[in-house]
Amino acid sequence: MPDSLSPHPKETVADLIRRHRRPLPAPAFATGAADPAATGRSWRARAVAACHAEIAHRSRDFAHVERALGLTFDRWLEPDCEQLGQFPHEAHAAAALVWLSHLQTHESEKRTPWSGVPFRSWPEPDRTRWFAKRRELWRGFVRQVERYRAARR
């Protein structure tokens, strides 16, 4: 006789939540379809909008499932609880936003006078390092967005 009357005896809380969640309908950016609303917007802006929509949906859907199942998570003790039961494309969208955050912070070093010296006056090795790091951060952001799009298909 099984220890549990549950039809899924080895199911974790994450599995239970995932089973009750529903993915966001795929935005045009994720599927590669033409999007008339995106006219004039850069690839980066469309990627950011799609990733933000996925993360906002993950939060709302998690809260809905949490209430429906009668679960309670202490956000102080478990700040990452919304990641329980997330879909793979949502994980890639969140990772893309982390890469974007690092990229934007790095780009702000060029535009703000942290050292009181304008970018055009930086020594050549410093500018070369800045561009190399920006390429690395941009590549990480693009890689995660492409992983999001692949997981979304």
Side-chain angles (χ1 to χ4, degrees):
M1 181 125 183
D3 292 338
S4 170
L5 298 178
S6 169
H8 309 284
K10 301 216 185 247
E11 188 173 53
T12 65
V13 173
D15 294 334
L16 177 67
I17 292 169
R18 189 176 299 110
R19 191 162 43 91
H20 286 84
R21 292 211 43 230
R22 298 294 172 256
L24 180 70
F29 175 80
T31 61
D35 185 6
T39 304
R41 293 176 66 195
S42 68
W43 182 90
R44 180 173 169 169
R46 290 180 292 142
V48 170
C51 291
H52 273 292
E54 289 290 353
I55 300 310
H57 174 262
R58 179 184 74 181
S59 296
R60 288 189 310 268
D61 201 30
F62 180 83
H64 172 74
V65 169
E66 185 181 23
R67 281 190 308 275
L69 296 176
L71 301 172
T72 304
F73 292 93
D74 185 341
R75 299 305 200 264
W76 182 261
L77 296 175
E78 298 176 86
D80 298 333
C81 63
E82 289 180 1
Q83 294 176 4
L84 289 172
Q86 75 180 345
F87 298 113
H89 66 274
E90 292 171 338
H92 292 303
L97 293 178
V98 171
W99 277 99
L100 176 69
S101 172
H102 291 292
L103 176 63
Q104 289 175 327
T105 300
H106 181 68
E107 288 175 339
S108 73
E109 292 174 4
K110 177 182 175 186
R111 295 187 186 92
T112 57
W114 290 103
S115 63
V117 178
F119 183 73
R120 67 181 176 279
S121 300
W122 287 13
E124 186 62 31
D126 291 348
R127 282 188 288 166
T128 302
R129 270 194 302 277
W130 186 89
F131 280 114
K133 185 171 180 182
R134 184 183 185 279
R135 272 192 302 276
E136 175 189 336
L137 293 171
W138 180 253
R139 208 174 5 249
F141 171 64
V142 171
R143 184 173 48 247
Q144 284 301 327
V145 170
E146 291 305 319
R147 286 178 179 166
Y148 158 71
R149 290 177 73 177
R152 194 61 219 201
R153 286 190 189 112

